[in-house]
Short mmCIF file of all heavy atoms in Angstrom, two decimals:
data_model
loop_
_atom_site.label_atom_id
_atom_site.label_comp_id
_atom_site.label_asym_id
_atom_site.label_seq_id
_atom_site.Cartn_x
_atom_site.Cartn_y
_atom_site.Cartn_z
N ARG D 9 -126.45 77.21 -35.33
CA ARG D 9 -126.59 77.46 -33.90
C ARG D 9 -127.25 78.82 -33.75
O ARG D 9 -127.33 79.57 -34.71
CB ARG D 9 -125.21 77.51 -33.22
CG ARG D 9 -124.50 76.20 -33.20
CD ARG D 9 -123.22 76.30 -32.38
NE ARG D 9 -122.70 74.97 -32.14
CZ ARG D 9 -123.13 74.18 -31.15
NH1 ARG D 9 -124.04 74.62 -30.32
NH2 ARG D 9 -122.63 72.98 -31.00
N PHE D 23 -109.77 80.21 -59.89
CA PHE D 23 -108.48 80.30 -60.58
C PHE D 23 -107.55 81.18 -59.76
O PHE D 23 -107.95 82.20 -59.22
CB PHE D 23 -108.65 80.91 -61.97
CG PHE D 23 -109.42 80.02 -62.92
CD1 PHE D 23 -110.81 80.01 -62.90
CD2 PHE D 23 -108.75 79.19 -63.81
CE1 PHE D 23 -111.52 79.18 -63.75
CE2 PHE D 23 -109.45 78.37 -64.66
CZ PHE D 23 -110.85 78.36 -64.64
N GLU D 43 -110.23 97.87 -62.63
CA GLU D 43 -108.80 97.61 -62.43
C GLU D 43 -108.69 96.50 -61.40
O GLU D 43 -109.68 96.12 -60.77
CB GLU D 43 -108.08 98.87 -61.95
CG GLU D 43 -108.68 99.42 -60.68
CD GLU D 43 -107.99 100.68 -60.17
OE1 GLU D 43 -107.02 101.10 -60.81
OE2 GLU D 43 -108.43 101.21 -59.15
N LEU D 93 -101.87 81.09 -64.71
CA LEU D 93 -103.30 80.95 -64.42
C LEU D 93 -103.57 79.48 -64.13
O LEU D 93 -103.43 78.64 -65.02
CB LEU D 93 -104.15 81.44 -65.60
CG LEU D 93 -105.67 81.42 -65.40
CD1 LEU D 93 -106.09 82.42 -64.34
CD2 LEU D 93 -106.38 81.72 -66.71
N ASP D 121 -107.48 90.70 -36.42
CA ASP D 121 -108.59 91.43 -35.81
C ASP D 121 -109.74 91.45 -36.81
O ASP D 121 -109.67 92.11 -37.84
CB ASP D 121 -108.13 92.86 -35.48
CG ASP D 121 -109.22 93.64 -34.76
OD1 ASP D 121 -110.33 93.10 -34.57
OD2 ASP D 121 -108.95 94.79 -34.38
N PRO D 128 -113.03 95.57 -42.71
CA PRO D 128 -114.31 96.05 -43.27
C PRO D 128 -114.89 95.10 -44.33
O PRO D 128 -114.21 94.19 -44.81
CB PRO D 128 -113.91 97.39 -43.90
CG PRO D 128 -112.46 97.30 -44.16
CD PRO D 128 -111.89 96.38 -43.12
N ALA D 140 -104.76 75.54 -40.11
CA ALA D 140 -104.94 75.35 -41.54
C ALA D 140 -104.95 76.69 -42.27
O ALA D 140 -105.53 77.67 -41.80
CB ALA D 140 -106.24 74.59 -41.82
#
Side-chain angles (χ1 to χ4, degrees):
Chain D
R9 292 186 168 277
F23 292 83
E43 57 180 359
L93 183 67
D121 184 357

